[in-house]
Amino acid sequence: MSRNGKGAATITSPEAALADLQTEVSDPEYVVVHSDEDLRRLGQEILGEREGPIVGVTLRDGTHEPVLRASDIRTIVGGSARIYLLADDELLLGLREILGARLRLDAGTLRIWWPGAAIRCDPSDHPVVVGLEDEDYLDTLQELAREFDLSRPHVRGQVRVIEDARAFLEHEILRVQEYNRRIHERLRDAQIESHQLRTRAELAEARVAALKRPTRHE
């Protein structure tokens, strides 16, 4: 095994990839999903009650290397998180059937499933990191770190409070703006009506004055 200039591993075959990943990092630090039974257990674990996050990893598009290596992922997610590798498209389809479209794991990506994952949950709570072909390996790792920190359950709660407060304020601003618009229209209509009344009054006064003038007889 060798690393390219971007820090990513170069592996010559899928068999070599799986063998190397299994020998380099001991189980249960890194779990390679091989069978439908493995997939079923993974699905149960993701949707079941747990305390820590689960990370699912696939291979980069067109390569036999994972989006990020387990040892690098471990530096971000800590020692208690379970990390799974799914290197087969059929397994990814099977996992989608178990988890649903919202929590699916696509080829060329990595996903964090936090506790509380459910088929109908908000998918943004369980972020996806894409291993772009032209992206530097370290950039992908930094994106994982950012998504991991921002999606922590306690952080998500705080973000939602902020977002709810912002949404409320935006609603109030729109309500006040609409109120001000209606008031402005009423003032404008009142000014127009006042001008019309004043004009009519002036015309009426002029007619009265004309009627009061003495008529000259020749």
Side-chain angles (χ1 to χ4, degrees), residues 184-197:
H184 177 73
E185 288 180 352
R186 290 175 184 175
L187 288 173
R188 180 173 57 82
D189 292 342
Q191 288 173 348
I192 292 173
E193 185 178 1
S194 175
H195 175 73
Q196 291 173 344
L197 290 174

Side-chain angles (χ1 to χ4, degrees), residues 1-2 9-25 30-32 34 58-60 63-70 85-88:
M1 177 182 297
S2 63
T10 302
I11 305 173
T12 57
S13 69
E15 293 78 10
L18 296 178
D20 183 76
L21 287 167
Q22 286 177 305
T23 56
E24 182 174 333
V25 187
Y30 202 110
V31 182
V32 180
H34 292 287
T58 66
L59 303 181
R60 285 180 180 267
T63 74
H64 301 306
E65 63 183 44
V67 172
L68 290 173
R69 294 178 58 79
L85 173 68
L86 291 88
D88 185 284

Side-chain angles (χ1 to χ4, degrees), residues 92-113:
L92 294 178
L93 290 174
L95 186 63
R96 176 171 181 159
E97 292 180 0
I98 295 172
L99 301 180
R102 295 186 177 192
L103 293 179
R104 72 183 185 274
L105 178 64
D106 295 323
T109 69
L110 174 153
R111 184 159 212 154
I112 305 165
W113 294 290

Side-chain angles (χ1 to χ4, degrees), residues 28-30 45 52-55 73-74 77-83 148:
E29 187 175 15
Y30 202 110
E45 186 176 357
I54 295 173
V55 180
I73 295 171
R74 182 67 65 196
V77 302
S80 62
R82 299 269 284 178
I83 307 174
F148 184 79

